Amino acid sequence: MAISLMVNGQSRSFEIEADTPLLWVIRDELGLKGTKFGCGAALCGACTVHLNGTPIRSCSTPVSAVEGQEITTIEGISGSTTLHKLQQAWVDHGVPQCGYCQSGQLMTAAHLLSYNAAPTEDEIAAAMSGNICRCGTYSNMVAAIQSVAGSQGEA
Amino acid sequence: MTMNRRDFLKVATASSGGLLVSLNLAACAGTPTGFSEDSGSWQPDAWLELSQDNQVYFTLARVEMGQGAYTGLTTLIAEELGVAPEHIQVRFSPVGKDYINPAIGLQMTGGSTSLATSWQPLRVAGASAREMLVSAAARVWKVAPGDCSVSNGQVLHPNGSDALKFGQLVELAAKETVPDEPALKPAEEWQYIGKSRGRLDAMAKSTGTAQYGIDVELPGMVYAVVTRPPRYGAKLASFDATQALAMPGVLDVFAIDRGVALVADKYWRARKAQQTLKIEWNNEEALAVSNASVMEFYRKAAEEDPGVNEREEGDPEGAIESATRVVEVAYEQPYLAHAAMEPMNATAVYHGDRMEVWAPTQAPDLGRIAVARVTDLSPGDVDIHTTFMGGGFGRRLTQDFIEEAAAVAYQVRKPVKLIWSREEDTRHGLYRPAMLHRMKASISGDQLTGWHHQIVGPQILDWYVRNAAPAQYPWAPKFLYDTLGKVGLMAEGMATPKDVSAIEGAVDYPYQVPNIEVRHTHVDPGVPITWWRSVGYSHNGFAVETFMDELAHELGQDPYQFRRGLLQNEPRHLAVLERAAELGNWSAPVPEGRARGIAVHRSFGTYVAQVVEASIEGGNIRVHRVACAVDCGEVVNPDIVKDQIESGVIFGITAALYGNVTFENGAVKESNFHDYQVLRNHQRPEVEVAIIESREMPTGVGEPGVPPVIPALGNALFALTGQRQRALPLKA
């Protein structure tokens, strides 16, 4: 079927089977490789993108279900700026090890800060619990999120 | 005489595990060292390229899978060259003899060897290039080289104001004599080594721009999936692809050695069509084991065969005879999966006389053997491009995914990307072997007089040598591959190194006990196995440190003081043990409802001690705090050391709490992260890492954080409940 999506602020149209997971559309039809395949079953969070600003698991979302809607991927997370504050914090705190899960982690963290500007450590851990990191970079992630939460408060 | 600098650096491992570096430079003094008019750049050795437009390129011979080699090794060369690490452009190396890991003899990233084996050669390479640049500048200025200095990619004139950029000097530097013994900077002058300066790959990995194997895309590329037999060892009997071939985008379905390959224009189309395949397997040679049958097999073997004596000290038998008490226990450990976040994948294209492969692999030279096996090509006809990889943990040392991609690309004659599903990754992997440990201690009065350890289980080289042996003899014709594999095993210790995968961490039992025996009963139930983060140390560390804890309690001693008393001749063990005990508040009261456990273990030359604080909450084990002390010799990047130890802690706790691959009739039951769980953010303990200051040779940190945390957690649970758990995973 013919599908149109708004991806990172741009309208994109293509022909694809309705049941194709959004993940493979983003990666292979649109060429945005920052969103990763980890489990294919909404269990690990590596494929997390935003649907109208809310995180979803793109590996388990048929593209037909998001027809005409707004999708944001790691490539679009910073909007018009070069880097999202969280991305800079990820670099400053040396969060990524293998790095494979980090796009998904960042998408989840960005959403957390969008509705809770100053989350507690427990709130951060709870919000991030759906995203697996096999390298175990969790504590640096939490510190990075807290540093941005702090700076947002001051701004 | 044409000699290249890259041939000069010879690094070999001494039998003690220490590194010998020999430099054979003097004989070739004055030989030009590779300035290319075409590229306008100078390649002083296999690692460095300096261009006239002031770019510095560093060829990284180890792969980056999260452990930090990308940053650490670049830091070494940057320090001596005199350029900030951030200004160096890192390239992943092709397969080449210059890039062989000297500790292993293959181009392999594993065994926590990257930093240790690069420490000397990369600094020498950087210093050598720096001295040649300085000599060139001094010649231009007609000053003494010793009066010049180097800073940030420039040579500075003694007058303090003039400077020449490296780019201006490269053509001249190439004509300089290769220094005999370039002077390495003393530690006090280090600008980058020993400093926490962040990771060089952090930006690419925080913006989604780092390219992993799964991200490789070639023009006209198609996608492959492979259906493998559910039971390991089963053979394809027949398949019916009628329905699949009628589905949109499906290009071909055919048998390969490892199963049935299906090729389609899109990945999802391939996956959907795969579900319609009707495949019959011939199970005559299929594995039939279950976890229970493996342990039963081990127990029986242990009774029948006391095993090879791998270490004997004093009179172990006499110690048992004269003991006032003998304590006997057995520990059982399960198969474990790697569960790297990036599923196995490879992209291959057949060019008629060559094959090109892009893959996240820890052993690209073995990847060439895998390609040669399933094509008419020789290893030399195969180019392997490595990429960033989404975790490795040893899984990517085996090249089955490259073998499959190559077999498919060879047949379809188009660029092919093969991607495993998570379920396939979990079920068709190679695993950390299940192991049985039979422990016995002789006690006389209040003294531990005898340590008797019988390890029961397989050796990894039995499986790994299949591709590793041919890779060591790349000139060997292919019909010899299987023979080489077998000879490699028979000639263990000569043609191949002694396989210590089953005994490491046990034969090097560090405690001062007069009578020691460590035996290995070598049996293999046929389950595919491979290296898994910390390998033999992962199970021997648990056996040794759990039994030490049991003995401490048996003797009515504090587990920390008991270890301390027996480590008086092991200063590095002792130092980390004492530091961890201090950091972990060992002697302070434990918060209500919690308990502490301690363990110390040396692996890959690095010493780690940990104090775990745990509780049981709502029927679940909760790890609150892990205090770690690490001695890994000279530290190149303290942040990376701390992060790797913490990473190992999380990996070890995951194994201790959840790790269990269940075989039922030769097939793996688990499939995805719901039944093969890993520790998540909200379960993360607070991890503190103290680094022992040391001037010893640096050793790796990718793996050593794993082994002690598993027994330390088990020991904490014993302290909490009074129940000793002798089988993993641990239960609440």
Side-chain angles (χ1 to χ4, degrees):
Chain A
M1 66 183 280
I3 299 256
S4 293
L5 300 172
M6 282 294 283
V7 179
N8 298 332
Q10 288 188 314
S11 179
R12 307 291 295 261
S13 302
F14 39 86
E15 191 70 33
I16 194 113
E17 279 103 312
D19 63 352
T20 307
L22 177 61
L23 170 67
W24 300 105
V25 171
I26 290 170
R27 286 180 55 83
D28 296 341
E29 306 300 318
L30 306 181
L32 299 171
K33 302 290 194 195
T35 304
K36 299 299 192 232
F37 168 55
C39 71
L43 294 165
C44 78
C47 67
T48 306
V49 298
H50 291 179
L51 168 66
N52 305 323
T54 305
I56 56 161
R57 303 292 189 240
S58 64
C59 75
S60 304
T61 306
V63 65
S64 57
V66 298
E67 155 78 21
Q69 304 191 57
E70 276 186 40
I71 304 296
T72 309
T73 70
I74 186 69
E75 291 87 354
I77 190 182
S78 60
S80 54
T81 58
T82 332
L83 274 187
H84 190 284
K85 277 185 176 179
L86 280 168
Q87 290 175 304
Q88 186 61 53
W90 247 235
V91 174
D92 295 342
H93 288 79
V95 174
Q97 287 181 24
C98 92
Y100 193 79
C101 71
Q102 298 297 345
S103 296
Q105 304 279 0
L106 280 158
M107 297 312 288
T108 302
H111 175 250
L112 167 66
L113 293 186
S114 75
Y115 69 83
N116 183 350
T120 64
E121 195 175 327
D122 283 350
E123 286 171 337
I124 294 172
M128 302 297 291
S129 67
N131 289 73
I132 288 172
C133 173
R134 186 67 166 131
C135 300
T137 66
Y138 299 130
S139 68
N140 284 338
M141 239 181 254
V142 172
I145 295 170
Q146 284 176 319
S147 75
V148 173
S151 75
Q152 281 188 337
E154 290 154 23
Chain B
M1 175 169 69
T2 55
M3 281 185 75
N4 191 307
R5 268 288 320 279
R6 70 188 64 178
D7 296 324
F8 301 169
L9 279 176
K10 300 285 179 211
V11 184
T13 6
S15 56
S16 65
L19 286 171
L20 296 176
V21 178
S22 62
L23 290 161
N24 305 315
L25 306 178
C28 302
T31 309
T33 53
F35 179 79
S36 159
E37 298 280 351
D38 293 343
S39 62
S41 69
W42 172 44
Q43 285 185 278
D45 51 54
W47 297 291
L48 275 176
E49 179 176 352
L50 286 78
S51 72
Q52 285 176 316
D53 57 354
N54 294 305
Q55 300 298 313
V56 179
Y57 302 93
F58 168 52
T59 299
L60 180 68
R62 300 284 85 81
V63 296
E64 173 58 51
M65 46 192 170
Q67 85 281 31
Y70 189 94
T71 303
L73 302 199
T74 306
T75 302
L76 297 181
I77 207 141
E79 182 69 66
E80 290 296 339
L81 186 60
V83 179
E86 304 80 63
H87 293 153
I88 294 181
Q89 301 185 50
V90 182
R91 296 162 167 163
F92 297 132
S93 77
V95 177
K97 64 178 172 57
D98 303 315
Y99 305 120
I100 286 171
N101 183 334
I104 301 172
L106 295 164
Q107 190 170 332
M108 196 175 275
T109 306
S112 294
T113 56
S114 297
L115 210 281
T117 57
S118 304
W119 171 249
Q120 199 67 8
L122 286 186
R123 288 188 309 142
V124 168
S128 179
R130 182 195 69 221
E131 288 194 1
M132 292 166 81
L133 290 158
V134 168
S135 298
R139 216 177 287 280
V140 171
W141 289 324
K142 298 190 171 58
V143 298
D147 294 337
C148 302
S149 57
V150 166
S151 172
N152 232 347
Q154 306 184 94
V155 181
L156 307 177
H157 192 282
N159 67 16
S161 56
D162 292 339
L164 284 168
K165 289 184 175 167
F166 284 0
Q168 296 171 286
L169 290 166
V170 290
E171 191 170 356
L172 296 172
K175 295 175 184 143
E176 291 295 327
T177 306
V178 178
D180 223 356
E181 280 181 43
L184 298 179
K185 286 185 187 175
E188 313 82 76
E189 287 177 23
W190 287 339
Q191 281 180 281
Y192 313 118
I193 292 175
K195 313 285 191 293
S196 287
R197 294 173 50 86
R199 292 180 63 117
L200 299 174
D201 51 358
M203 184 62 85
K205 289 175 173 178
S206 302
T207 51
T209 54
Q211 193 186 48
Y212 297 83
I214 204 169
D215 303 329
V216 170
E217 188 135 340
L218 301 173
M221 189 175 80
V222 295
Y223 293 83
V225 297
V226 173
T227 307
R228 303 164 193 86
R231 287 172 61 186
Y232 182 80
K235 300 278 179 287
L236 179 66
S238 65
F239 69 92
D240 175 2
T242 317
Q243 204 182 333
L245 286 165
M247 290 175 74
V250 175
L251 301 169
D252 206 351
V253 181
F254 50 89
I256 61 172
D257 286 354
R258 290 175 47 85
V260 178
L262 185 151
V263 183
D265 61 345
K266 295 179 194 296
Y267 175 74
W268 188 246
R269 286 175 160 176
R271 277 288 167 217
K272 269 181 27 182
Q274 183 190 28
Q275 292 167 26
T276 70
L277 293 176
K278 293 175 183 66
I279 303 176
E280 298 293 331
W281 302 102
N282 175 346
N283 285 318
E284 272 172 34
E285 291 170 37
L287 198 63
V289 301
S290 67
N291 286 25
S293 77
V294 168
M295 272 310 149
E296 196 43 50
F297 173 62
Y298 285 171
R299 281 187 214 105
K300 200 157 171 279
E303 285 300 327
E304 289 168 0
D305 171 15
V308 175
N309 203 342
E310 297 286 0
R311 176 175 170 190
E312 184 170 293
E313 270 171 38
D315 176 12
E317 243 172 84
I320 292 174
E321 281 161 20
S322 61
T324 49
R325 256 185 301 171
V326 174
V327 181
E328 267 185 274
V329 301
Y331 301 121
E332 296 178 4
Q333 294 170 275
Y335 291 104
L336 298 174
H338 304 77
M341 290 304 294
E342 180 186 8
M344 297 305 111
N345 67 84
T347 302
V349 57
Y350 178 53
H351 296 299
D353 54 352
R354 298 189 69 77
M355 189 171 277
E356 230 177 328
V357 177
W358 288 257
T361 172
Q362 292 178 246
D365 51 355
L366 271 65
R368 299 215 293 189
I369 300 299
V371 174
R373 230 175 236 291
V374 293
T375 64
D376 285 335
L377 299 169
S378 300
D381 302 330
V382 183
D383 296 312
I384 308 271
H385 309 282
T386 62
T387 60
F388 278 116
M389 49 199 80
F393 315 121
R395 175 60 183 88
R396 296 183 214 277
L397 286 166
T398 300
Q399 309 301 309
D400 45 355
F401 46 96
I402 289 184
E403 181 178 321
E404 290 176 353
V408 176
Y410 192 57
Q411 175 126 349
V412 302
R413 313 265 158 146
K414 282 182 179 152
V416 174
K417 188 196 289 189
L418 167 95
I419 305 174
W420 292 34
S421 68
R422 172 59 54 190
E423 288 78 8
E424 291 165 348
D425 194 283
T426 307
R427 290 184 166 160
H428 301 282
L430 303 99
Y431 305 93
R432 199 292 303 272
M435 299 296 287
L436 172 68
H437 295 263
R438 300 212 310 179
M439 322 295 296
K440 209 184 283 187
S442 315
I443 295 171
S444 282
D446 61 354
Q447 294 296 311
L448 175 60
T449 53
W451 175 267
H452 319 266
H453 185 172
Q454 183 187 12
I455 302 152
V456 186
Q459 295 188 159
I460 292 167
L461 269 185
D462 294 359
W463 290 80
Y464 199 67
V465 76
R466 177 177 182 263
N467 280 342
Q472 286 183 312
Y473 305 96
W475 40 263
K478 278 197 275 183
F479 65 85
L480 276 180
Y481 280 11
D482 287 328
T483 312
L484 275 174
K486 291 185 186 104
V487 169
L489 277 182
M490 289 187 304
E492 185 190 271
M494 293 182 291
T496 54
K498 177 171 169 61
D499 187 349
V500 293
S501 65
I503 58 173
E504 58 189 7
V507 282
D508 38 357
Y509 177 78
Y511 297 99
Q512 206 179 353
V513 177
N515 306 293
I516 296 173
E517 64 177 320
V518 179
R519 292 177 165 276
H520 177 211
T521 301
H522 181 184
V523 282
D524 193 329
V527 171
I529 53 169
T530 195
W531 322 100
W532 183 94
R533 195 175 188 176
S534 79
V535 195
Y537 299 102
S538 71
H539 52 83
N540 284 316
F542 177 79
V544 170
E545 285 300 302
T546 305
F547 198 40
M548 286 301 288
D549 209 72
E550 296 214 40
L551 296 175
H553 289 285
E554 181 75 27
L555 292 166
Q557 292 191 38
D558 174 86
Y560 162 57
Q561 295 297 349
F562 177 62
R563 287 174 171 80
R564 235 183 123 236
L566 296 174
L567 287 173
Q568 291 303 313
N569 294 335
E570 300 291 341
R572 296 180 78 184
H573 279 90
L574 195 60
V576 291
L577 183 70
E578 290 178 346
R579 187 75 186 88
E582 187 189 340
L583 194 65
N585 303 319
W586 182 262
S587 52
V590 195
E592 178 70 26
R594 299 186 186 180
R596 295 193 187 107
I598 193 166
V600 58
H601 198 66
R602 184 188 68 163
S603 58
F604 310 98
T606 292
Y607 301 73
V608 179
Q610 290 164 341
V611 172
V612 167
E613 202 169 289
S615 69
I616 294 176
E617 290 175 8
N620 294 310
I621 297 167
R622 179 76 213 245
V623 184
H624 298 274
R625 196 162 175 263
V626 183
C628 314
V630 54
D631 174 359
C632 55
E634 199 81 70
V635 170
V636 174
N637 187 317
D639 274 354
I640 292 183
V641 169
K642 289 180 182 173
D643 289 346
Q644 281 307 299
I645 297 300
E646 178 163 357
S647 173
V649 163
I650 303 281
F651 202 87
I653 293 174
T654 293
L657 296 183
Y658 308 118
N660 188 18
V661 173
T662 315
F663 278 88
E664 283 178 358
N665 194 27
V668 173
K669 196 173 134 208
E670 288 76 17
S671 61
N672 206 320
F673 289 120
H674 64 292
D675 55 8
Y676 198 83
Q677 295 188 59
V678 304
L679 206 73
R680 290 172 179 269
N681 199 318
H682 65 290
Q683 299 162 310
R684 130 197 81 90
E686 178 194 347
V687 180
E688 284 178 74
V689 181
I691 299 173
I692 305 286
E693 211 172 302
S694 170
R695 289 271 95 104
E696 298 280 343
M697 278 284 286
T699 45
V701 290
E703 302 173 87
V706 179
V709 77
I710 305 173
L713 175 54
N715 296 341
L717 292 179
F718 174 78
L720 189 71
T721 65
Q723 302 291 313
R724 179 64 66 176
Q725 297 195 44
R726 299 195 177 100
L728 291 173
L730 300 165
K731 293 178 182 63

